[in-house]
Amino acid sequence: MEHITLLIGIVIVTALVFDFTNGFHDTANAMATTISTGALAPRAAVAMSAVLNLLGAFLSVEVAKTISSGIIDEGSGIKPEVIFAGLVGAIIWNLLTWLAGLPSSSSHALMGGLLGATVAAVGTGAVNGDVVVMKVLIPALAAPLVAGIASVCATRVTYRVARNADEGQTAKGYRAGQITSAALVSLAHGTNDAQKTMGVITLALVTGGALAPGANPPVWVIASAGLAIALGTYLGGWRIIRTMGKGITDIQPPQGFAAQTSAAATILASSHIGFSLSTTHVCSGAVMGSGLGRKGGVVRWGTAGRMVVGWALTLPAAGLVAAGAALLAEQGDWGVATVAVLTLAICGAIWVRSRRTPVDHTNVNEVEPATETAMPAPSTEPEPEPEPAGVLTTAVRAVSPPPPRAAPPPRAASPEPLGQGLEPERVTA
């Protein structure tokens, strides 16, 4: 094994922690629709996804090379402290979005962290801008659109082909197909996301002189990254599974099959050509596409809008946190120790906050369906006290004219003369 200093060892451990958070953060990408439609029990679904994530980590190293020697210039003076700071930014953003149940991109959190830390420590000259644009930003914009359009078409074709078939029989077949497509997504996730951690560890080994520039990840790096993401996947990010499976649209088995097949094809194609794709963007776009493709399907655009905002904030937010961590870590050993302590404290606080409203395999599907609003059931609870009017409301009421006085009801007897019975106008000072 290569010679590894204490600092590089800290970076490797931190990278594996990120890989673990990546696993439970992105479990929803593969298994949310399968769990929401009942095709697989929650525990069985995450177990299958974990095994296939591990296997997928051994299929390719193209994405790992994009991370280790693509977006950042290895010879620009990057130190292990910078990589450590980049990982800290990615981990904190992953945990914050997990707490919010927001399907954000772990891949872009890692990219933003590395870019922010590198710019803060070395400068913009260490960033390969053309690689960032071609292999990170353009795929980030195109992937959800491509997967969404493919999912819309696949969903419509699926329903058209099975329109005259028995619904019960086709549901069984689609559930079986959904399990197969979910397995394919899990395998694709391992080939794409596990490689990102491999690339970071390889970059740390190169900057520490343990590997030559441009070297492929060693076998022990591949195995450790695969195991870390598999363990995180098995624990399951139930909050994000709930949002992806029930929060965007109500998914039926044909939709789940179409969405996951479209997502798997997109991810595998991108991994083959070395695009550092966000599986979250792909799978979220496919789920929304399946909602649009089914006749009568409903998409919760409020949830979708929150997701898009989270996607837009991921790169800069993780980059800012990582930049601050890099400036502190470069002060020496005490700086690295301070960053580590602060990171542990923040992660612990997020964990404690999550325990107030726990989400696990027992309540992951407890979300109201995305259908038209129904009349509320009568309640025996007393009516709440009306809230006091605010300053603006009181001011508007003060200058508004009074509502028109209702005319008196006509009498059944003889009609009164014109003007009789009318109340004269009151003149107020």
Side-chain angles (χ1 to χ4, degrees), residues 357-383:
T357 54
V359 180
D360 55 25
H361 66 283
T362 62
N363 62 354
V364 67
N365 284 331
E366 293 180 4
V367 176
E368 294 182 3
T371 56
E372 294 184 1
T373 305
M375 292 297 293
S379 174
T380 59
E381 298 287 334
E383 290 293 329

Side-chain angles (χ1 to χ4, degrees), residues 229-245:
I229 200 170
L231 181 59
T233 301
Y234 178 70
L235 291 181
W238 303 109
R239 294 172 180 271
I240 301 176
I241 290 175
R242 171 185 282 184
T243 301
M244 186 85 79

Side-chain angles (χ1 to χ4, degrees), residues 195-290:
Q195 288 189 54
K196 298 178 176 72
T197 301
M198 298 178 207
V200 171
I201 296 176
T202 303
L203 179 60
L205 293 173
V206 170
T207 58
L211 283 180
N216 287 334
V219 175
W220 67 268
V221 171
I222 298 174
S224 58
L227 287 171
I229 200 170
L231 181 59
T233 301
Y234 178 70
L235 291 181
W238 303 109
R239 294 172 180 271
I240 301 176
I241 290 175
R242 171 185 282 184
T243 301
M244 186 85 79
K246 291 288 188 180
I248 301 175
T249 184
D250 289 333
I251 298 178
Q252 297 178 355
Q255 291 172 271
F257 171 73
Q260 289 177 311
T261 302
S262 303
T266 306
I267 296 170
L268 287 173
S270 67
S271 296
H272 179 70
I273 57 180
F275 282 165
S276 182
L277 198 66
S278 167
T279 55
T280 302
H281 290 189
V282 173
C283 295
S284 300
V287 170
M288 284 187 275
S290 72

Side-chain angles (χ1 to χ4, degrees), residues 7 10-11 13-14 17 81 84-85 87-89 91-92 324-326 328-330 332-348:
L7 181 56
I10 293 174
V11 173
V13 171
T14 308
V17 171
E81 295 94 325
F84 172 65
L87 290 167
V88 166
I91 290 171
I92 291 176
L328 186 56
E330 283 204 316
D333 293 342
W334 70 268
V336 173
T338 303
V339 171
V341 171
L342 289 175
T343 303
L344 290 174
I346 294 172
C347 294

Side-chain angles (χ1 to χ4, degrees), residues 138-150:
I138 291 179
L141 297 175
L145 295 177
V146 171
I149 293 171

Side-chain angles (χ1 to χ4, degrees), residues 66-67 71 106-116 136 196 276 315:
T66 297
I67 300 295
I71 64 173
S106 297
S107 306
H108 288 181
L110 178 60
M111 301 290 181
L114 289 176
L115 292 173
V136 178
K196 298 178 176 72
S276 182
L315 278 168

